[in-house]
Amino acid sequence: MVDKLVESGSKTVSTRGIENKFRSYRFRSDRIFFSAVGDSVRASLGFRRRARTAKPVLEVYTAGNNTSLPGRLLKRGKSGYSDKDAERVYQGGMHTWNLYYEMFGRNSIDGNGMAIIQSIHYGVKYQNAFWNGRQMVYGDGDGTIFGSFTSDVDIIGHELTHGVMQYSTNLDYQSQSGALNESFSDVFGIMVKQRMLNQDVKASDWLIGANVLIGDEYAIRSMKEPGSAYRNHPVLGSDPQPATMADYRDLPNTPEGDWGGVHINSGIPNFAFYVAAFNRGGYAWNTIGRIWYTAMTDTARMPHDATFAMAREATLYHARQLFGEGSLELNAVMQGWKEAGVE
Amino acid sequence: MKIRLIQTGGFAGLTRSAEIDVREEEANALVQRLASAAAPHQPPANVRDAFNHVLVIGDKRIPFSLEDTPEELKPTIDHLIANLS
């Protein structure tokens, strides 16, 4: 209990770096000593176990092809989980936590060490992954159109980011704010994948769900070229995403219209991010990713009903704050929104 | 009488639907019983990437929650879900 509280206390990245350095020269001799003494001795010497840095708390459950959540807690052995899907969401959750903590100084979903809860094998042949307001949920797919929704780390990063937004700017899930909600999830999802693979903006395929949609030529979304993720798919047809405001889809704010096309119009801010990151070059999380993170968590400039134009303003503001007037980053962000047709 | 299930949203944001033919009294019973699972006509507060489901019978449309589907309607709804295209 005390450990949990200590662990969940937020520490800055720089503190963590210093602590790691400190630990590295102290570690060898201390390890031998501390392995021989119990917690009470450690405490009496003034050392609190695992208190130096924040660590992620990850829990994986199986819904057992049922629909009650979270389901049954799975245990992780020394060599990982025996269930392949469990190991994937565990690793994906870890990579996502690492991106948020190491690059943006955020400790988990709520910024305060909240447990990352994930349930696999939801429903029967369930063709979806979602965030239910408390946790992430993954279906196995039907095996013909969709594989398991645990197959892509960007999907895991996408769902966890919905949680991050719930605890920051909880963008309304309709129309432009809803499309921004979807886009931020893709933006951080793709950065989780890029960082895991150590890919810069040129090496990345900028595809979301490249594995889950079965078939080498198919993915669920393309941030580089929205509308091209799948073409003439025998069941799904062709990717309907626009890349620019000229092709914005004015869909009804109803369930039939997916609340104004939140999963369709997200192509526009996705494309703005891609162009900005690509023009800046290097690793997305070091530059444009930082700008997008600061904007996403700025509830004053990014209120719950934010429009694309407000997202543009917020990212330009934070590009100036973080990198300065006339910086490569600011110019790249301007170019990104311009190419997406957002003014 | 035709009844149609429309599914939208989900992570992939696809619109898919399925149809079956039922007798009129069966359709009317379906409308009445599904009322208990009717979903509010507004976007979800905190749920993200969930599917949206709407049953269309004649000129009636009923947005509903799959999880709240009454037990006796499940075979019909499950059949429609399995045949979405």
Side-chain angles (χ1 to χ4, degrees):
Chain A
M1 186 65 196
V2 173
D3 281 348
K4 269 252 162 63
L5 290 173
V6 172
E7 267 178 50
S8 67
S10 65
K11 292 259 169 79
T12 66
V13 175
S14 58
T15 312
R16 186 174 192 243
I18 293 161
E19 282 168 351
N20 279 342
K21 206 168 269 182
F22 172 64
R23 188 163 34 178
S24 65
Y25 68 73
R26 214 193 60 178
F27 189 62
R28 199 163 299 155
S29 58
D30 279 4
R31 185 175 50 189
I32 296 155
F33 172 68
F34 280 113
S35 64
V37 301
D39 283 359
S40 59
V41 177
R42 270 192 278 257
S44 71
L45 290 169
F47 290 96
R48 278 173 300 187
R49 199 159 55 102
R50 292 182 292 150
R52 294 183 192 104
T53 61
K55 278 186 185 175
V57 179
L58 292 146
E59 293 172 7
V60 180
Y61 295 78
T62 176
N65 295 119
N66 221 309
T67 53
S68 53
L69 291 170
R72 181 171 57 85
L73 181 67
L74 295 173
K75 277 217 163 24
R76 189 165 192 271
K78 280 203 175 98
S79 54
Y81 287 98
S82 53
D83 184 303
K84 176 177 64 142
D85 295 291
E87 186 61 17
R88 279 181 185 157
V89 299
Y90 175 84
Q91 295 294 346
M94 190 71 87
H95 283 294
T96 307
W97 185 90
N98 282 341
L99 174 76
Y100 274 107
Y101 186 67
E102 294 170 4
M103 300 317 302
F104 313 126
R106 184 186 190 87
N107 183 3
S108 193
I109 294 163
D110 63 348
N112 199 24
M114 177 175 164
I116 294 167
I117 299 170
Q118 307 185 84
S119 296
I120 54 172
H121 304 312
Y122 178 85
V124 178
K125 296 189 172 185
Y126 193 70
Q127 301 174 37
N128 199 20
F130 63 99
W131 165 259
N132 80 345
R134 293 177 295 280
Q135 65 159 102
M136 293 172 267
V137 186
Y138 306 88
D140 295 331
D142 62 333
T144 306
I145 305 170
F146 291 105
S148 170
F149 277 75
T150 64
S151 314
D152 289 288
V153 73
D154 41 273
I155 296 184
I156 296 165
H158 175 109
E159 295 309 331
L160 197 147
T161 301
H162 279 309
V164 170
M165 279 184 274
Q166 185 177 317
Y167 286 91
S168 53
T169 176
N170 199 9
L171 289 160
D172 297 342
Y173 213 47
Q174 58 181 314
S175 306
Q176 289 199 8
S177 58
L180 283 171
N181 195 315
E182 273 303 307
S183 175
F184 277 120
S185 272
D186 279 351
V187 160
F188 290 87
I190 200 73
M191 283 195 285
V192 170
K193 173 162 128 175
Q194 290 171 347
R195 190 155 180 259
M196 183 184 85
L197 300 171
N198 194 36
Q199 288 179 333
D200 66 12
V201 296
K202 286 203 172 76
S204 175
D205 60 12
W206 294 93
L207 295 174
I208 300 290
N211 295 316
V212 69
L213 188 54
I214 293 170
D216 285 347
E217 66 275 48
Y218 304 129
I220 291 181
R221 283 183 284 278
S222 167
M223 299 180 72
K224 182 178 188 163
E225 200 186 334
S228 75
Y230 52 94
R231 282 186 176 129
N232 305 315
H233 185 284
V235 181
L236 310 183
S238 295
D239 176 4
Q241 281 211 315
T244 67
M245 276 313 276
D247 295 322
Y248 185 88
R249 293 272 301 276
D250 235 328
L251 291 160
N253 188 24
T254 61
E256 290 95 323
D258 196 17
W259 310 111
V262 298
H263 292 91
I264 291 183
N265 292 318
S266 59
I268 297 166
N270 274 1
F271 186 59
F273 178 79
Y274 160 75
V275 171
F278 195 85
N279 283 358
R280 170 56 182 80
Y283 295 117
W285 58 84
N286 279 334
T287 57
I288 309 303
R290 276 181 198 280
I291 296 167
W292 249 248
Y293 175 76
T294 337
M296 178 177 77
T297 51
D298 179 346
T299 52
R301 285 177 188 80
M302 194 75 76
H304 64 91
D305 56 352
T307 59
F308 290 179
M310 288 160 86
R312 175 183 175 274
E313 284 302 318
T315 53
L316 289 175
Y317 173 84
H318 287 292
R320 280 192 183 90
Q321 290 294 307
L322 291 167
F323 297 97
E325 201 67 54
S327 61
L328 275 177
E329 289 77 11
L330 177 60
N331 287 335
V333 174
M334 279 180 180
Q335 193 63 28
W337 290 112
K338 191 179 171 196
E339 287 197 26
V342 177
E343 289 168 14
Chain B
M1 191 173 190
K2 278 195 184 355
I3 62 172
R4 193 154 68 99
L5 177 81
I6 303 172
Q7 176 182 281
T8 68
F11 181 83
L14 303 167
T15 298
R16 302 167 77 183
S17 64
E19 236 174 34
I20 47 165
D21 248 323
V22 296
R23 285 174 294 118
E24 192 165 345
E25 53 270 42
E26 225 179 302
N28 291 334
L30 206 64
V31 171
Q32 277 181 1
R33 282 188 223 133
L34 200 60
S36 67
H41 288 246
Q42 55 190 22
N46 289 327
V47 179
R48 301 291 179 249
D49 294 326
F51 288 129
N52 310 299
H53 293 103
V54 181
L55 204 69
V56 182
I57 307 173
D59 56 0
K60 290 195 180 66
R61 52 176 286 281
I62 313 165
F64 71 101
S65 153
L66 201 59
E67 290 71 30
D68 300 335
T69 306
E71 213 48 53
E72 69 268 28
L73 297 187
K74 274 188 178 154
T76 309
I77 300 295
D78 286 349
H79 173 79
L80 284 162
I81 294 273
N83 287 286
L84 287 170
S85 64

